[in-house]
Amino acid sequence: MYRVGIDIGGTNVKIGILEAPSGEIVWKKEISNPQKGYQHLGRAVYDEIYGSGCIEKIEAVGIAVPGEIDRDTGTVISAFNLDFFNVPLKSEFEQLFHGISVKLCNDGEAAIIGELSCGALKGKKNAIMLTIGTGVGGGIVFEGRLFRGGHGRGSEPGHILLKYRGKKCTCGAFGCVEAYCSAKWIEEQGEKAGFEGGAKAVFEAAENGDVKAGAIISEFIDNLAAAIASIANLLDPEAVVIGGGVGCAGDFLFKPLQEAVNQKAFAGRTYEVLPSKNGNDAGFIGAALL
Ligand SMILES: [Zn+2]
């Protein structure tokens, strides 16, 4: 039998079909988020899965959402980058899938579960993951289990205050990690410096020696290293994994990032910073497994 994992991002939606219990990916697709409301999104995703030809063998659907969810009711309480507020996503998808069991989870939690079961965190017991795309999400594995906090709401490392009273964040607060360490921040800085093509174009230009792009990426690394060192100092993890689009940036990002994290960490400590092994697939893999 198959399980579906859907990772809804502000820009793209990643869909995967996995065989259970092996976890082997049998089909996957990435579509752009139509941003026309959750019903439109549900229909677009369902049509893709229907087109895969696997629909008859699907027994469960897991959906990863970049925001706060109510697991019991299957409602997205708030997902700022999707403009979803009190959205009944579970019932919408159950209707589309004619009663197949649908569960929601946070995208950062899904990604870290994906890495823990078959990725960069295999065998680790205490670890942190940051997923960096349009926004910044993440999750914590504590003593081998997903840490969900005192209310089941999980951690929001993207909304730790990095520069108190700084730039306004999508969540309404000022100076969050997300406001300075997201692909959106790189894109905005890039636009100001005359780059078109988003964060990827700025990374590419920096790698090719462009001075302006290089300065943007250096500032990004400095901000991100401060965020990672702060979170790691609190939890002393075996590793910090970076996922999302930014996690695919390679040595060009990870080498200086590792150095900057070690420089900023408490009293000569070092924390291993790793790229996600499942890349952009980590979210849907975790959603399907959860
Ligand atoms: Zn925020």
Side-chain angles (χ1 to χ4, degrees), residues 159 169 171 176:
H159 301 281
C169 178
C171 74
C176 294

PDB file of all heavy atoms in Angstrom, residues 159 169 171 176, ligand 1:
ATOM      1  N   HIS A 159      10.901  32.043  14.747  1.00  0.00           N
ATOM      2  CA  HIS A 159      10.334  33.249  15.372  1.00  0.00           C
ATOM      3  C   HIS A 159      10.982  33.570  16.713  1.00  0.00           C
ATOM      4  O   HIS A 159      10.413  34.289  17.538  1.00  0.00           O
ATOM      5  CB  HIS A 159       8.808  33.142  15.425  1.00  0.00           C
ATOM      6  CG  HIS A 159       8.262  32.988  14.035  1.00  0.00           C
ATOM      7  ND1 HIS A 159       8.113  34.062  13.176  1.00  0.00           N
ATOM      8  CD2 HIS A 159       7.981  31.870  13.313  1.00  0.00           C
ATOM      9  CE1 HIS A 159       7.719  33.601  11.993  1.00  0.00           C
ATOM     10  NE2 HIS A 159       7.630  32.278  12.054  1.00  0.00           N
ATOM     11  N   CYS A 169       8.331  40.970  10.946  1.00  0.00           N
ATOM     12  CA  CYS A 169       8.234  39.600  10.435  1.00  0.00           C
ATOM     13  C   CYS A 169       6.814  39.334   9.944  1.00  0.00           C
ATOM     14  O   CYS A 169       5.875  40.046  10.308  1.00  0.00           O
ATOM     15  CB  CYS A 169       8.593  38.647  11.577  1.00  0.00           C
ATOM     16  SG  CYS A 169       8.480  36.908  11.159  1.00  0.00           S
ATOM     17  N   CYS A 171       4.880  37.193  10.951  1.00  0.00           N
ATOM     18  CA  CYS A 171       4.026  36.831  12.088  1.00  0.00           C
ATOM     19  C   CYS A 171       3.536  38.057  12.853  1.00  0.00           C
ATOM     20  O   CYS A 171       2.707  37.935  13.748  1.00  0.00           O
ATOM     21  CB  CYS A 171       4.776  35.894  13.034  1.00  0.00           C
ATOM     22  SG  CYS A 171       6.041  36.727  14.015  1.00  0.00           S
ATOM     23  N   CYS A 176      12.373  38.793  14.072  1.00  0.00           N
ATOM     24  CA  CYS A 176      12.456  37.318  14.124  1.00  0.00           C
ATOM     25  C   CYS A 176      13.575  36.782  13.219  1.00  0.00           C
ATOM     26  O   CYS A 176      13.965  37.432  12.241  1.00  0.00           O
ATOM     27  CB  CYS A 176      11.165  36.689  13.626  1.00  0.00           C
ATOM     28  SG  CYS A 176       9.748  37.002  14.661  1.00  0.00           S
TER      29      CYS A 176
HETATM   30 ZN    ZN B   1       8.095  36.028  13.317  1.00  0.00          ZN
END
